[in-house]
Amino acid sequence: MNDKNGAIEAATSGGSERTISVIGLGYIGLPTAVTFAAHGRNVVGVDISDRAVNSVNQGKAHIEEQGLSELVSEVVTSGKLRAVTSPVAADEFIIAVPTPVDHETHLPDITYVIAAGRSIAPVLRKGNLVVLESTSPVGTTRKLAEVLAELRPDLRFPLNGETDPDVHLAYCPERIIPGQMLRELIENDRIIGGMSEGGTERAVALYRTFVKGQCVASDDRTAELCKLAENSYRDVNIAFANELSMICGNLGIDVWKLIELANRHPRVNILKPGPGVGGHCIAVDPWFIVSSDPERAKIIKTARQVNDSKPGYVLDLVAEAVKKSDGRAPRIVCLGLAYKPDVDDFRESPALAIAQSLTTKYPGNVQCVDPFSHALETSGEDVDQLRVIESERALADADIVVALVAHAAFRQIPYPEGISVIDACGLWS
């Protein structure tokens, strides 16, 4: 048995003695680590946050996701999952750290990926597999391999035509959404892009531990662009809906009714507009493509600009409502702060940005409501100035209501009569 076949056989055997190390225990890393552990693998989670590590080791999830806390408790109690603040030796490494974009230059930032690579370099050994899951610009997996090769010249990596490396690398993007993470991790197809044939085979074998969907083999660069293309496609379609909503607003036409009528066409499916686009993927990933080829990524760039402009449009509507308030300072209530309904995720949230802008512009007159507001304390967002209260109390005294997120908890609220209503999310459509 040669080294490659032996490594693949060991990976597919699911032997309990093998260890997976997940670097980053955030919205992607923690569900991934827990799912591997729930399917019999020994998992060590690594995070620089003491809070995240301590929470996991206590059998608790530090992020809110349906079924996650119970599963964390189960796998920690069984001994299949533990968390540490520094990497340890393992057989497979999965890197799931943030890849933000600079809000001014729109350039991608892969420093967290490179830092994760540097942190695992000392504990790498022959036969290891390193998988990058973080959404990344094309070429990031190769850049990671170059960093590791520089730090570990005693090991061979899949660079410069090396087909039988000591350490394999692959790119495997996640395709899950908050609220459905644990189910989609298992059911969704996965694109597996190795830097070598052996790397692809090793990574496919790894994810077949729990993936019931297809594990589709590819190469690292194609897999990197595939993830970006998927989210850019969604961004472009949302931009059409958001642009349409602004046109309808200027024409005095009900956009929700218009979309309902247009979608009766058998080949038309216009999405619902909102106050913008948020989250860790759709609001960020298209810029990665634009940065790689700015001259040709015209539609993708324009869609990003349209969606980024929508919060400003909502703020203008609020300003118009304020002008009609007979000179007094109206009481403004913002319904929703998360980036999408029914999640505790506030990353890149246009609703949160709108609420913050209104609070700055109309100090003391803005109140916010969100059923997941308790998560704001540990979200990392600057929310010290926000006034968050219960919806019943807020609406009773409101002069202007701005619906920003259609949380299930809001859907039973009757349409506020006799006051100004700006429904940016179709809560009462």
Side-chain angles (χ1 to χ4, degrees), residues 16-33:
S16 59
E17 73 281 358
R18 297 183 64 80
T19 299
I20 299 172
S21 180
V22 178
I23 313 299
L25 294 175
Y27 284 90
I28 303 303
L30 182 58
T32 299

Side-chain angles (χ1 to χ4, degrees), residues 21 37 42 44 100 159 242 256-257 265 309 364 367 385 389 399 428:
S21 180
N42 289 327
V44 178
L159 296 165
N242 279 336
W256 310 102
K257 185 61 178 178
H265 188 290
S309 73
Q367 296 176 325
Q385 304 302 317
I389 66 173
D399 298 304
W428 293 292

Side-chain angles (χ1 to χ4, degrees), residues 4 8 129 131 168-171 191-208 215-220:
K4 184 179 81 170
I8 294 172
L129 168 68
V131 178
H168 288 288
L169 276 89
Y171 182 76
I191 307 300
I192 312 288
M195 288 186 64
S196 63
E197 181 181 348
T200 301
E201 292 175 346
R202 278 286 305 276
V204 167
L206 175 64
Y207 283 96
R208 279 182 177 159
C215 290
V216 184
S218 182
D219 62 86
D220 54 305

